Amino acid sequence: MTAQDRSPAEDVWAPLRRTTRARIGLGRAGNSLPSQRVLEFKAAHSAARDAVHEPLDADGFGRAVETVGLGVPLYVRSQASDRSEYLRRPDLGRTPADLAGLPRSGADIGIVLADGLSPRALTDHGTGLLAALAAEFTGHYRLAPPVIATQARVALGDHIGAALDVATLIVIIGERPGLSVADSLGIYLTHLPRPGRSDADRNCISNIHPPDGLGYQRAAHITASLVAGARRLGRSGVDLKDTSRAELAGGPEPITA
């Protein structure tokens, strides 16, 4: 065997691997994976676990939110006392501990920033996304003061929206981390929020984590389109469709019901 025969084989998967977060073309080392791929998997798994368990620095995040210019944020926590109970008891994450500090604003839109299953995602992307939403909404709708919710599930927003007396509620929440992305945000939009709403009453925009996922401005534009559609239709959820792509193309709006 010559020295040339012993040189590493060309990694034909490398160009494709640069285009996706998926684990493709991992290769083999005997009956197992190459050590590099095993270590990459373990690192991704650790990042996902850390994203779930690390609590949100609510005070520090609140100071960042205040710089967006929508007012001093309000704070709500669920009945889950800590991350451990939050993960074991999803029902407690859907129920507020106390809503006494929320004013009845009567605003068009309320925005809740919830830690969810990835507080890290809210820390990394929450302020940027909020600023993009503010740019879309300011001058068109009346906005309630932003609310920061901790140990929160999506349905906690229904209680908050009803207490704020807003027409449409937007919940920005940290999504469940995966082995390729640990800092992704989702937006859940509910028109006429109230306790008892189901997932069929909401619209979701997910995978918000630039530069690899959906960008802030694009997510905000889709949200604005859904808000306008919900106000015309009188409801959100399965009957409400995203018309933002047709609007950008200048074509006719899709049927929304």
Side-chain angles (χ1 to χ4, degrees), residues 25-63:
L26 299 183
R28 295 179 60 181
N31 293 324
S32 185
L33 293 172
S35 297
Q36 179 182 347
R37 304 304 177 204
V38 173
L39 293 173
E40 288 171 350
F41 178 87
K42 289 184 175 181
H45 186 259
S46 296
R49 288 176 60 90
D50 289 346
V52 169
H53 289 284
E54 185 176 356
L56 177 71
D57 176 7
D59 292 336
F61 181 64
R63 289 191 291 271

Side-chain angles (χ1 to χ4, degrees), residues 199-219:
D199 288 342
D201 299 314
R202 316 184 204 284
N203 294 84
C204 176
I205 306 166
S206 63
N207 205 37
I208 304 168
H209 58 97
D212 298 307
L214 191 65
Y216 305 145
Q217 286 73 28
R218 180 63 183 145

Side-chain angles (χ1 to χ4, degrees), residues 76-81 92-100 150 156 159:
V76 171
R77 64 178 180 84
S78 76
Q79 292 185 0
S81 59
L92 296 181
R94 303 184 185 107
T95 310
D98 185 11
L99 296 175
T150 52
L156 183 66
H159 298 267

Side-chain angles (χ1 to χ4, degrees), residues 91-115:
D91 57 314
L92 296 181
R94 303 184 185 107
T95 310
D98 185 11
L99 296 175
L102 298 185
R104 295 187 68 83
S105 67
D108 297 316
I109 296 175
I111 300 177
V112 175
L113 300 124
D115 53 2

Side-chain angles (χ1 to χ4, degrees), residues 108-109 141 167-170 189-192 201-203 222-237 239-243 247 253 256:
D108 297 316
I109 296 175
Y141 303 108
T168 306
L169 185 76
I170 295 168
L189 182 148
T190 309
H191 192 61
L192 303 179
D201 299 314
R202 316 184 204 284
N203 294 84
I222 295 172
T223 304
S225 176
L226 289 172
V227 169
R231 292 170 68 88
R232 290 193 301 267
L233 192 62
R235 59 188 179 276
S236 55
D239 291 331
L240 177 63
K241 309 303 179 186
D242 172 21
T243 64
E247 292 165 3
E253 290 190 5
T256 56

Side-chain angles (χ1 to χ4, degrees), residues 48 86 98 140 146 163 221:
Y86 170 80
D98 185 11
H140 302 285
H221 182 72

